[in-house]
Amino acid sequence: MASDSTHLSHNHHVQPVGMYMKVFGALVVLMVATIAVAQVEALKEYSLLNNFIAMGIAVTKATLVVLFFMGVKFSSALTKIFVLLGFSWFFMLFFMFCDYFTRSWEPVPGWTGTSQETAMPRENRWSEGFDRLK
Amino acid sequence: MATEAAHGHDQQWLVHHQYEDYEQQSESYIVGMWAFLVTEIMFFGALFLAYVLYRWQYQPEFYLIHKDLDWVMGGINTTVLLFSSLAVALAVRCAMLQDRKGVLGWLTVTQLCAAGFLVIKYFEWSHKYHKGVWLGEGFKWGEGVTKYAQDVSANTAQLFYSLYYCMTGLHGFHVVIGIIVIGILMRMWFKNNPLVTKDYVPTELVGLYWHFVDLVWIFLYPLFYLMPR
Amino acid sequence: MSAVDIRTEEAPRHAPQPSYLQNGHTIKSWLLTGDHKRIAILYLISTGFFFFLGSIAAGAIRWQLTSPRGELMTLEVYNKMFSAHGVIMVFMFLVPTIPAVLGNFLVPIMIGARDLAFPRLNLASWYMYMVGGVLILVAMAMGGVDTGWTFYTPYSSIYSSSQVSLTLVGAFIVGFSSIFTGLNFIVTIHKMRAPGMTWDRLPLYIWSHYATSIIIILATPVVAITLLCVVLERAFRIGIFSPELGGDPVLFQHLFWFYSHPAVYIMVLPGMGIISELMSAFSRKPVFGYKFIAGSSLAIAAIGFLVWGHHMFVSSQSMYQGLVFSLLSFVVAVPSAIKVFNWTATMWKGSVRLQTPMIYALCFMGLFVVGGLTGLYLSTLATDVHLTATYFVVAHFHYVMVGGTILAYLGGLHFWWPKMTGRMYPDSWGKLSAIIIFVGFNLTFFPQFILGFLGMPRRYATYALAPQFQFYHILSTAGATVLGIGFLIPLFYLSWSLKHGPKAGKNPWGAKGLEWTVDSPPITTNFYETPIVDRPVYDYDPEEEERQFQIELDAEREMREKLAATRGGQD
């Protein structure tokens, strides 16, 4: 068809101001939440959990902006597909981590520690944590 | 709740020759803009990937270095950008209703927020610059940074700041482009150009771009300013 | 040719309009045009120019390699020469050429639109292309790059003292030109189709351009920012790819190939689309397995994103990832094979007419199969360790890029030339050039398989320690000369045809498709009124076509017998 949307129609509805205000309020609350979580001393040791919380909040905020401010919730199926495509394809990049996660599995003959301080090490240093800084 | 906008089929004169009707044209513009934003996501994506890689590799160092960034300043900037996003959303709403004063008012608010964002960013960057924490050979590390951060080797600190400057810099560049584009749009509204007053789509496209700028910052803020241990 | 669309025979209901070539004669009317067909012509000329430059660099490389000591140029100049060849051919020719020339010209016409969705963006894309191209040329005039077209760090970011930054900025800008084209195609194909042009009536050419555009918009930005990071690395030492500061140079390879492997499909998918059209048009049969070919284009686009690591088997990436990438690289061969089998099946029991475009298409099939299958050697982990960075790789990707993309491009150009210019070219010259290119190509690149297998590394300016390679190098250079002549012949007869060629008419090949229902050359808005598509795609009736074909063949045989008889009488 000339346009899939002629029939779905482009009847963009003007949303009430209240909706925008509510979304903005939610965004500010979420921002305060993410700052607050970052300040809680008890949580600071749990790096992974903390990252998940921070990113979870950021994704929620982003979703709110995309759905309401950018109006994707009210737009055509095609627009929705493109939005999904863009955000999901971004994660395709992280396929790269198959490499970085498994580099430490293989013993490399002749690998000595001399250059580890300068070059990107093959071994994962995440587990060493803060010990190596002492 | 929602009211139907005052657009009918009287807009044929707005339609470029390659389109059949107004619906097709505006839908094409919006899909096109989203396709462009998809490329923007991938554009920033590579930098986010680099960030995740080095954060994963140097998490303890990065944690200590990040204490040198001022999360209050970042927080203010986040609020400013979120508010500008709201202002643009309301401006687009006014454009749908063909409310010229409303559009101009909200776009002015957006411009002020954008300028405010850049001013705060400028203070952050220049503060670092004067301490010698800058890109390039002259990178200095140790003096004037928080005492935790001093434990970290200058090389890793430089890597962290490279990512910081690249990502916030690229974002800042997008803010500048946004200011220019919104400026052009405001001028058109100000001059009562029928291309924008009779057709809400151009305003909507600029709005989409601006929201995207906001989106990037929503991720940059927790990643750089609120790093957990 | 009898198979004429019924609609074309109706009396025109509109006053004739000037063709797109006649609509405005000033230079300004070309440089500020929004017409997709004129922009296609601008691209045709500019990509042709860059192809010429790239070929000269290739010639210099081949000349150098005729002697083991390489007396023609210094090692440094040689490095710059093969880098120039790679950069120009990849960024300035292979990536843009088919989408920007034939795609630009045909995508709107084939789906029944008056123009692309964003004509000004299309023009901007050409200007970006030219600006990027000029920057790359300026960089070459100022000394050139010696990094190869892959710009591997840390050599490109720290050590090379050649014009890397300027070249990278040029490539960055050209990348945006290609993004604009892809974006335009996506929106156009989604939103601008004529009434009745449903997704299952889209020509396969459109499907492959759609898949290409998806790859372009998803992959190109990644390499753009990566190249920008290398520029920043050179300017500021930012360290993202620098081991000095704890960065990882292999990350550059990851990000680079995240684009550049899908880019291989950007180059070859549109070519595959052309071949689908040619196979159907010259066999007078619907394409066999339409859905499979359309689906395989999308499958290639998707899986093609997950195989980049096979360029990096020996780059110190994790061998476990190597395993995964090796497996996925085998998987991506499947959709390509589906296409080849379906094209072959399309010809089966068809009324195959061996006209110029079809000869090109058949050459494509042969060369692409060799190129594709040798790819399997390279995606096998163990053999790749032996073959990587040798002439085997060079031969492999030239079989795909030249044998695949360029032959498909030439085939498409010959197929749609009458549509673009309104004139026919001499068919016998066309066939001759196709055969010369085929022979020259094999002579150039087949010896390189052997060379690579014997261990000749790519990018080496000399091979004084292995003078026994000289035989193959000389064969290859001789082949390159033949190939060069083969490429020049079309230039002459196609230019000749512009003035002196017989008028082509709407449908010189008797092919189906909306583009054959419009004037040759088309009017600026392509159609006098929006067409309504009421029939399936490739709507050939093979039995009727075969009957017609027999009549033609009989007539031809009779003519030949008559000629023979008269000649015999004279003797």
Side-chain angles (χ1 to χ4, degrees):
Chain A
M1 283 305 294
S3 54
D4 302 329
S5 72
T6 4
H7 304 295
L8 298 172
S9 181
H10 192 77
N11 51 2
H12 58 273
H13 294 279
V14 178
Q15 304 303 320
V17 178
M19 185 206 80
Y20 293 105
M21 291 304 173
K22 275 181 206 155
V23 172
F24 177 68
L27 288 172
V28 173
V29 168
L30 284 168
M31 185 195 73
V32 173
T34 189
I35 295 173
V37 171
Q39 308 303 320
V40 178
E41 282 298 323
L43 271 174
K44 282 201 172 170
E45 293 301 319
Y46 302 98
S47 186
L48 208 57
L49 174 71
N50 225 326
N51 274 317
F52 272 115
I53 295 175
M55 282 302 101
I57 293 177
V59 169
T60 316
K61 280 163 79 180
T63 315
L64 285 178
V65 171
V66 169
L67 286 184
F68 297 101
F69 280 2
M70 298 171 100
V72 169
K73 187 165 187 275
F74 318 106
S75 53
S76 67
L78 183 60
T79 313
K80 286 185 177 122
I81 289 172
F82 269 90
V83 177
L84 260 180
L85 175 82
F87 286 103
S88 52
W89 214 263
F90 164 66
F91 290 99
M92 204 64 111
L93 277 167
F94 287 84
F95 194 57
M96 243 166 251
F97 276 84
C98 296
D99 175 16
Y100 292 102
F101 282 149
T102 58
R103 274 193 200 180
S104 56
W105 292 3
E106 57 188 285
V108 180
W111 182 272
T112 55
T114 47
S115 56
Q116 283 200 354
E117 285 312 309
T118 50
M120 169 119 177
R122 286 185 84 79
E123 298 198 1
N124 176 14
R125 304 176 75 177
W126 178 276
S127 50
E128 295 171 36
F130 284 83
D131 299 342
R132 71 165 184 271
L133 292 176
K134 298 285 150 54
Chain B
M1 289 284 282
T3 49
E4 186 74 28
H7 292 294
H9 295 278
D10 56 333
Q11 289 173 313
Q12 198 59 34
W13 65 271
L14 279 168
V15 178
H16 290 285
H17 83 279
Q18 69 269 31
Y19 298 105
E20 290 294 323
D21 53 26
Y22 178 74
E23 305 286 329
Q24 189 191 19
Q25 169 170 305
S26 38
E27 180 73 13
S28 299
Y29 280 167
I30 287 172
V31 171
M33 189 64 199
W34 268 106
F36 173 71
L37 293 183
V38 168
T39 69
E40 287 275 34
I41 293 169
M42 298 307 283
F43 196 64
F44 277 95
L47 284 177
F48 274 101
L49 180 98
Y51 170 88
V52 172
L53 174 63
Y54 294 130
R55 169 88 184 277
W56 171 69
Q57 199 61 241
Y58 302 110
Q59 158 72 13
E61 286 94 336
F62 273 26
Y63 170 70
L64 294 178
I65 300 162
H66 105 280
K67 292 193 167 195
D68 218 33
L69 295 176
D70 190 347
W71 66 265
V72 181
M73 291 270 241
I76 295 172
N77 254 352
T78 313
T79 321
V80 167
L81 268 195
L82 287 178
F83 188 66
S84 77
S85 225
L86 172 72
V88 162
L90 292 173
V92 173
R93 183 180 178 277
C94 290
M96 289 177 180
L97 297 171
Q98 302 193 339
D99 169 8
R100 176 163 165 271
K101 275 187 188 152
V103 174
L104 281 171
W106 284 117
L107 287 182
T108 312
V109 172
T110 312
Q111 290 287 48
L112 289 176
C113 287
F117 177 88
L118 285 182
V119 168
I120 296 175
K121 203 84 235 158
Y122 168 77
F123 281 124
E124 280 187 82
W125 278 35
S126 66
H127 179 60
K128 301 248 172 316
Y129 179 77
H130 289 303
K131 284 197 299 190
V133 180
W134 192 243
L135 295 164
E137 300 288 356
F139 184 84
K140 275 196 300 223
W141 188 246
E143 289 167 41
V145 297
T146 49
K147 67 177 171 35
Y148 303 102
Q150 286 176 359
D151 292 346
V152 178
S153 80
N155 280 350
T156 314
Q158 196 177 344
L159 186 60
F160 176 88
Y161 274 106
S162 296
L163 286 167
Y164 172 77
Y165 285 123
C166 280
M167 293 172 81
T168 57
L170 189 64
H171 176 260
F173 175 74
H174 279 78
V175 173
V176 173
I177 296 285
I179 289 179
I180 295 169
V181 175
I182 296 175
I184 295 169
L185 182 72
M186 281 176 75
R187 194 183 138 85
M188 288 172 88
W189 273 98
F190 190 73
K191 297 213 154 183
N192 249 325
N193 188 331
L195 284 181
V196 293
T197 52
K198 300 288 178 208
D199 182 10
Y200 83 103
V201 172
T203 316
E204 163 102 23
L205 297 182
V206 174
L208 285 178
Y209 173 82
W210 189 258
H211 290 307
F212 175 78
V213 173
D214 185 31
L215 273 185
V216 175
W217 186 258
I218 285 178
F219 286 94
L220 286 182
Y221 178 55
L223 286 179
F224 277 108
Y225 292 81
L226 303 173
M227 215 178 268
R229 199 171 137 95
Chain C
M1 311 295 156
S2 66
V4 179
D5 198 309
I6 302 163
R7 233 173 301 127
T8 61
E9 291 185 323
E10 285 172 18
R13 277 167 292 182
H14 303 265
Q17 291 173 23
S19 78
Y20 78 100
L21 293 169
Q22 302 297 324
N23 194 1
H25 295 278
T26 56
I27 291 186
K28 195 179 148 200
S29 75
W30 280 87
L31 291 183
L32 295 178
T33 181
D35 185 355
H36 64 104
K37 300 180 286 300
R38 289 198 159 197
I39 295 170
I41 300 294
L42 291 177
Y43 261 118
L44 175 71
I45 296 165
S46 37
T47 53
F49 169 71
F50 281 104
F51 179 67
F52 181 68
L53 287 186
S55 309
I56 290 177
I61 296 168
R62 285 311 330 157
W63 191 3
Q64 164 92 350
L65 290 172
T66 47
S67 87
R69 298 199 162 280
E71 275 98 4
L72 180 63
M73 44 192 154
T74 63
L75 306 184
E76 199 188 327
V77 173
Y78 180 83
N79 288 347
K80 288 177 175 169
M81 209 50 101
F82 76 69
S83 306
H85 173 65
V87 170
I88 290 181
M89 284 304 199
V90 172
F91 293 114
M92 305 307 297
F93 182 74
L94 287 168
V95 169
T97 184
I98 298 183
V101 180
L102 294 176
N104 242 337
F105 196 96
L106 290 157
V107 165
I109 306 184
M110 278 188 169
I111 63 174
R114 284 186 285 269
D115 203 327
L116 285 170
F118 310 119
R120 274 178 292 184
L121 191 69
N122 197 14
L123 184 65
S125 142
W126 182 71
Y127 276 103
M128 296 286 260
Y129 172 84
M130 290 312 282
V131 170
V134 167
L135 281 182
I136 289 176
L137 290 185
V138 168
M140 277 164 195
M142 287 167 65
V145 272
D146 59 355
T147 58
W149 79 276
T150 51
F151 305 111
Y152 272 9
T153 55
Y155 181 69
S156 64
S157 58
I158 300 177
Y159 301 106
S160 172
S161 55
S162 54
Q163 297 292 336
V164 180
S165 299
L166 200 54
T167 312
L168 288 175
V169 172
F172 178 86
I173 295 174
V174 174
F176 275 88
S177 129
S178 127
I179 289 176
F180 289 170
T181 305
L183 209 153
N184 230 333
F185 283 174
I186 285 184
V187 177
T188 307
I189 294 170
H190 266 293
K191 303 303 308 175
M192 314 279 288
R193 280 168 287 133
M197 182 57 90
T198 52
W199 284 94
D200 57 350
R201 286 180 182 168
L202 280 184
L204 289 165
Y205 183 79
I206 302 294
W207 273 103
S208 64
H209 269 79
Y210 183 73
T212 309
S213 309
I214 293 276
I215 303 177
I216 287 177
I217 70 161
L218 289 173
T220 316
V222 175
V223 83
I225 191 71
T226 309
L227 298 184
L228 205 59
C229 280
V230 176
V231 175
L232 289 175
E233 185 89 48
R234 287 179 72 83
F236 297 115
R237 291 272 168 276
I238 59 168
I240 290 180
F241 304 129
S242 143
E244 259 182 331
L245 303 183
D248 185 14
V250 178
L251 178 64
F252 173 84
Q253 296 187 26
H254 274 303
L255 292 172
F256 181 82
W257 290 114
F258 184 86
Y259 162 76
S260 294
H261 193 76
V264 171
Y265 299 110
I266 296 177
M267 302 174 206
V268 84
L269 266 174
M272 292 171 157
I274 292 175
I275 299 302
S276 302
E277 297 297 316
L278 296 185
M279 284 299 163
S280 161
F282 289 94
S283 308
R284 298 291 194 279
K285 263 183 71 189
V287 165
F288 182 85
Y290 171 88
K291 281 186 181 160
F292 280 88
I293 295 190
S296 66
S297 294
L298 296 183
I300 286 177
I303 306 171
F305 267 98
L306 292 172
V307 299
W308 77 81
H310 63 221
H311 295 268
M312 301 166 56
F313 284 155
V314 296
S315 74
S316 93
Q317 73 170 353
S318 154
M319 64 182 180
Y320 299 98
Q321 191 181 20
L323 271 175
V324 175
F325 275 127
S326 175
L327 180 73
L328 286 169
S329 305
F330 279 102
V331 172
V332 83
V334 174
S336 307
I338 288 177
K339 282 179 191 283
V340 172
F341 287 129
N342 281 329
W343 292 327
T344 318
T346 304
M347 284 188 288
W348 186 60
K349 286 196 170 177
S351 330
V352 180
R353 286 160 164 81
L354 292 175
Q355 284 157 311
T356 308
M358 188 60 171
I359 304 280
Y360 273 111
L362 292 174
C363 295
F364 167 96
M365 290 268 280
L367 300 181
F368 180 73
V369 166
V370 175
L373 289 179
T374 49
L376 295 181
Y377 293 64
L378 294 171
S379 57
T380 312
L381 273 170
T383 47
D384 184 68
V385 173
H386 174 62
L387 294 174
T388 198
T390 65
Y391 266 81
F392 193 89
V393 178
V394 175
H396 156 70
F397 70 72
H398 278 90
Y399 263 83
V400 179
M401 297 290 90
V402 183
T405 308
I406 297 185
L407 282 195
Y409 174 58
L410 286 174
L413 199 63
H414 282 87
F415 185 46
W416 285 296
W417 186 258
K419 186 52 64 186
M420 296 168 84
T421 63
R423 303 278 184 164
M424 286 300 286
Y425 49 85
D427 196 45
S428 47
W429 277 97
K431 283 182 196 164
L432 181 72
S433 79
I435 288 164
I436 290 178
I437 289 176
F438 183 76
V439 171
F441 177 84
N442 278 304
L443 195 55
T444 314
F445 291 104
F446 202 82
Q448 296 189 2
F449 279 126
I450 304 169
L451 268 178
F453 184 75
L454 295 176
M456 171 80 199
R458 65 191 286 202
R459 295 182 172 155
Y460 276 32
T462 60
Y463 46 100
L465 293 178
Q468 70 272 25
F469 290 160
Q470 190 175 15
F471 171 67
Y472 298 106
H473 274 302
I474 285 181
L475 268 188
S476 183
T477 306
T481 318
V482 178
L483 188 59
I485 293 169
F487 282 135
L488 280 177
I489 297 174
L491 182 70
F492 288 118
Y493 66 76
L494 288 181
S495 333
W496 175 86
S497 78
L498 285 179
K499 261 221 151 92
H500 308 288
K503 286 237 158 56
K506 279 185 180 175
N507 192 355
W509 310 111
K512 304 277 175 173
L514 277 182
E515 80 269 29
W516 301 111
T517 65
V518 300
D519 292 349
S520 306
I523 59 170
T524 301
T525 53
N526 300 341
F527 301 92
Y528 285 98
E529 60 184 45
T530 308
I532 294 168
V533 183
D534 51 2
R535 57 187 68 199
V537 66
Y538 307 123
D539 189 23
Y540 297 99
D541 178 356
E543 284 175 19
E544 176 57 36
E545 296 288 355
E546 184 61 30
R547 208 171 299 131
Q548 183 65 33
F549 193 36
Q550 279 307 328
I551 296 169
E552 280 175 34
L553 283 182
D554 289 345
E556 206 182 309
R557 193 178 306 126
E558 226 167 79
M559 183 87 89
R560 211 177 293 141
E561 276 164 10
K562 248 186 220 164
L563 267 175
T566 45
R567 208 176 287 148
Q570 280 168 357
D571 292 344

